């Protein structure tokens, strides 16, 4: 009866504590099977009514967390995807460069682009060769897309390459189909043009333009681009040929520097046609009328002949 | 009797929230302890006896969620309830700040049982746990206690 007396418990705090601790100890020493069954039973009975709304709340929060995590994962995956695409593109570029290396008889040194202007037709690139030895100024830089430019500023580790888009760059070029010579350059760094091609030259849109090798700087046969548009101005002496360059700096991260080797033979040139100028035009032949026929006849009247008789007085001998 | 029913309802709700819901919305891994708040409510209002029995019941129900350590939380709740009752006459229990500070201290005591008993933590790793989770959890418990204790007290025991 003492145990159910509230006043007793209120007065004897220590007794309450000891009783509670004893109950705790009894709970602790219960067989594990009983603990599990008892605990599960209590939870299932007492907390079941609240479990459904709680599970909804849990589901809501776990969905929110999953959403956050998935967003993060999506961002990471997107970055990985970009990185893999970049690696694939680089791999493709390397494969083409290897193909180029095996095709030619040049001594090539690989270099990667480490800096350039953000412009699509940047006049200069900064490259870092794997082996900078033997690389000097004016050495041509090539990629799988053709001629890139030439080394203009060689340093111990980094080198500057003036691209074919440099406004000061001039490349001796040749139209592959018709072997017409010209000068490849940019028009103030914007349009690429093939300059100094005479008006009557055989150049068509879509023709491939290569380096000719006659400039003594770049070897022959390197791709420069294709003829995009031709405009003829009769008042000028040369054609206005716009070239679509094959070099795409946005896709060029690796290149080769030609440090030596054997250049391909120079192309034979097309027979030069006469330029369209007054001085070289064929002269017109002036047709003169036939000369009038002259009727020359001997005179009919006797011509007085001088008297050959002796003169009077004779000779006196 | 009504008081007891209300208090048991609070215990039921607190244990359920603590065991099922609160872990998924814990900010920065800091978990407020609703069970300690309910024990503090009973202990501060009615003294050692009520605190101890409330602590025992709260601990037992919490043990049911972790049957492998059955008795551990009952023991912890009992100790917390007893300490609340002991502190009742030594603090200005009507002051909200005193109640909050006591709740924070009780939360730290209860964490000892969780850390060493249920989680099997070691003495050397306790300082790290204390700084990272313990202190923050105790402060959060105190803040929530300051917010809800007066309302809970009014609802359970009527007007002050």
């Amino acid at each position: 009866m003492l145990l159910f007396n509230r006043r007793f418990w209120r007065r004897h705090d220590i007794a309450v504590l000891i009783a509670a601790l004893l109950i705790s100890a009894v709970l602790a020493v219960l067989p594990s099977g009983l603990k599990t069954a008892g605990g599960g039973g209590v939870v299932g009975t007492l907390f079941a009514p609240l479990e459904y709304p709680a599970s909804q709340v849990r589901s809501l929060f776990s969905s929110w967390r999953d959403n956050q995590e998935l967003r993060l994962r999506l961002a990471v995956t997107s970055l990985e995807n970009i990185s893999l695409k970049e690696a694939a593109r680089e791999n493709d570029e390397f494969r083409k460069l290897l193909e180029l290396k095996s095709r030619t008889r040049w001594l090539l040194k690989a270099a990667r682009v480490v800096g350039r202007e953000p412009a699509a037709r940047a006049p200069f690139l900064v490259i870092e060769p794997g082996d900078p030895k033997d690389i000097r100024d004016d050495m041509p830089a090539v990629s799988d897309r053709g001629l890139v430019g030439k080394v203009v500023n060689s340093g111990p580790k980094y080198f500057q390459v003036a691209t074919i888009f440099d406004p000061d760059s001039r490349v001796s070029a040749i139209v592959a189909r018709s072997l017409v010579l010209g000068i490849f350059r940019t028009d103030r760094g914007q349009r690429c043009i093939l300059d100094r091609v005479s008006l009557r030259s055989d150049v068509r849109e879509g023709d491939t333009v290569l380096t000719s090798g006659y400039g003594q700087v770049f070897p022959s046969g390197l791709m420069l681009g294709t003829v995009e548009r031709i405009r003829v101005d009769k008042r000028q002496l040369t054609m206005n040929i716009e070239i679509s360059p094959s070099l795409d700096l946005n896709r060029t991260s690796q290149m080769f520097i030609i440090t030596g080797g054997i250049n391909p033979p120079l192309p034979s040139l097309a027979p030069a046609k006469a330029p369209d100028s007054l001085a070289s035009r064929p002269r017109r032949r002036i047709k003169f009328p036939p000369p009038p026929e002259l009727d020359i006849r001997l005179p009919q009247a006797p011509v007085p002949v001088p008297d050959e008789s002796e003169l009077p007085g004779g000779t006196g001998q | 009797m009504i008081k007891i029913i209300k208090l048991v309802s609070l215990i039921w709700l607190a244990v359920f929230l603590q065991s099922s819901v609160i872990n998924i919305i814990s900010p920065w891994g800091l978990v407020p302890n609703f069970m300690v708040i309910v024990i503090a409510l009973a202990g501060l209002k009615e003294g050692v006896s009520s605190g101890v029995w409330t602590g025992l019941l709260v601990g037992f129900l919490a043990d049911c969620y972790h049957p492998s350590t059955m008795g551990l939380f009952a023991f912890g709740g009992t100790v917390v309830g007893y300490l609340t009752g002991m502190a009742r006459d030594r603090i200005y229990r009507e002051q909200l700040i005193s109640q909050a500070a006591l709740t924070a201290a009780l939360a730290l005591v209860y964490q000892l049982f969780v850390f060493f008993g249920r989680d099997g933590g070691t003495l050397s790793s306790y300082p790290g746990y204390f700084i990272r989770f313990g202190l923050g959890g105790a402060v959060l418990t105190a803040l929530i206690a300051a917010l809800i204790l007066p309302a809970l007290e009014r609802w359970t025991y009527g007007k002050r």
Side-chain angles (χ1 to χ4, degrees):
Chain A
M1 281 289 107
L2 192 65
L3 290 175
F4 296 101
N5 188 341
R6 286 179 71 184
R7 193 172 292 171
F8 170 81
W9 289 116
R10 282 180 188 273
R11 284 183 185 172
H12 300 86
D13 293 344
I14 294 294
V16 171
L17 178 65
I18 290 170
L21 291 179
L22 277 175
I23 293 170
S24 303
V26 169
L27 287 173
V29 297
L30 284 175
S32 62
L34 193 60
K35 284 181 189 175
T36 308
V42 170
V43 170
T45 309
L46 288 181
F47 298 109
L50 290 178
E51 196 50 48
Y52 178 73
S55 71
Q56 294 297 311
V57 172
R58 274 199 299 267
S59 164
L60 187 69
F61 275 94
S62 79
S63 299
W64 180 73
R65 278 188 183 167
D66 286 351
N67 195 14
Q68 297 291 105
E69 193 181 330
L70 286 173
R71 280 183 187 204
L72 186 68
R73 205 175 287 175
L74 180 68
V76 171
T77 311
S78 298
L79 287 175
E80 281 177 359
N81 191 22
I82 290 169
S83 162
L84 284 174
K85 277 185 181 170
E86 177 60 21
R89 190 199 61 74
E90 208 172 54
N91 196 14
D92 189 47
E93 196 179 344
F94 278 133
R95 194 178 297 122
K96 286 175 181 169
L97 283 171
L98 276 176
E99 195 183 327
L100 171 74
K101 193 172 183 179
S102 64
R103 225 173 38 214
T104 63
R105 295 167 73 187
W106 290 312
L107 297 176
L108 300 171
K109 295 224 168 179
R112 76 187 172 96
V113 179
V114 293
R116 74 170 174 92
E117 279 181 30
R121 293 184 177 177
F124 293 99
L125 301 174
V126 180
I127 59 166
E128 183 189 18
D131 175 19
K133 198 180 158 191
D134 297 336
I135 296 179
R136 291 187 301 277
D137 285 357
D138 288 338
M139 285 185 166
V142 295
S143 75
D144 60 306
R145 291 168 181 271
L147 182 65
V148 176
K150 65 177 181 179
V151 177
V152 289
N153 194 0
S154 52
K157 190 177 177 189
Y158 299 104
F159 295 74
Q160 199 174 26
V161 169
T163 67
I164 55 172
F165 304 127
D166 179 15
D168 295 331
S169 166
R170 302 285 185 275
V171 182
S172 174
I174 191 165
V175 178
R177 183 181 56 79
S178 56
L179 304 178
V180 172
L181 272 179
I183 302 291
F184 178 91
R185 66 178 178 87
T186 59
D187 185 9
R188 294 182 293 277
Q190 300 298 316
R191 294 182 311 141
C192 294
I193 55 175
L194 188 63
D195 201 7
R196 299 193 192 176
V197 177
S198 59
L199 280 181
R200 290 186 177 181
S201 299
D202 180 15
V203 181
R204 297 175 198 162
E205 287 181 3
D207 276 353
T208 306
V209 179
L210 308 170
T211 54
S212 72
Y214 287 109
Q216 302 292 316
V217 177
F218 302 110
S220 63
L222 293 171
M223 183 74 175
L224 285 169
T226 52
V227 175
E228 191 174 29
R229 196 182 307 161
I230 301 171
R231 276 179 290 184
V232 177
D233 187 350
K234 289 282 186 188
R235 290 168 298 182
Q236 292 181 343
L237 299 180
T238 55
M239 289 171 133
N240 190 349
I241 303 173
E242 201 170 318
I243 304 291
S244 170
S246 60
L247 178 63
D248 182 358
L249 291 180
N250 287 333
R251 293 172 177 273
T252 305
S253 61
Q254 307 286 335
M255 64 181 70
F256 283 126
I257 307 296
I258 302 175
T259 57
I262 302 168
N263 283 332
L266 295 177
S268 57
L269 298 179
K273 288 190 175 180
D276 191 14
S277 66
L278 287 175
S280 60
R281 280 182 184 167
R283 289 179 185 170
R284 278 190 293 176
R285 290 191 173 185
I286 301 168
K287 284 190 175 179
F288 294 101
E293 287 182 5
L294 297 175
D295 187 17
I296 302 170
R297 286 178 292 185
L298 293 172
Q300 298 297 321
V303 178
V305 177
D307 188 8
E308 289 180 355
S309 62
E310 269 184 53
L311 291 171
T315 56
Q317 290 178 2
Chain B
M1 193 63 187
I2 298 288
K3 280 192 294 185
I4 293 174
I5 291 172
K6 284 182 176 177
L7 188 62
V8 169
S9 303
L10 273 184
I11 290 168
W12 175 65
L13 192 64
V15 172
F16 180 75
L17 283 176
Q18 194 70 42
S19 305
S20 291
V21 180
I22 201 68
N23 283 321
I24 58 171
I25 52 172
S26 54
W28 304 292
L30 304 179
V31 182
N33 198 327
F34 289 112
M35 300 190 299
V36 166
I37 292 173
V38 174
I39 297 170
L41 173 72
L44 281 174
K45 193 67 187 174
E46 296 203 26
V48 170
S49 175
S50 182
V52 166
W53 291 124
T54 304
L56 180 69
L57 183 58
V58 164
F60 168 70
L61 291 177
D63 278 333
C64 289
Y65 275 97
H66 307 279
S68 59
T69 55
M70 179 74 83
L72 176 74
F73 290 147
F75 179 67
T78 302
V79 172
V80 168
Y82 180 75
L83 291 175
T84 313
M86 294 292 287
R88 178 175 182 264
D89 299 327
R90 291 171 175 76
I91 62 167
Y92 296 104
R93 64 172 183 271
E94 302 298 327
Q95 279 188 352
L96 196 59
I97 193 162
S98 304
Q99 293 173 1
L102 178 69
T103 314
L106 294 174
L108 286 174
V109 172
Y110 194 83
Q111 276 169 16
L112 293 175
F113 291 95
V114 175
F115 182 73
F116 291 108
R118 191 191 70 187
D119 297 345
T122 58
L123 201 59
S124 58
S125 59
Y126 182 71
Y129 171 81
F130 176 77
I131 292 168
R132 173 66 183 85
F133 299 106
L135 207 56
V139 170
L140 194 60
T141 306
L143 285 174
I144 291 174
L147 287 174
I148 65 171
L149 258 182
L152 290 180
E153 191 178 336
R154 210 173 301 135
W155 181 72
T156 314
Y157 298 105
K159 285 189 178 178
R160 284 184 177 184

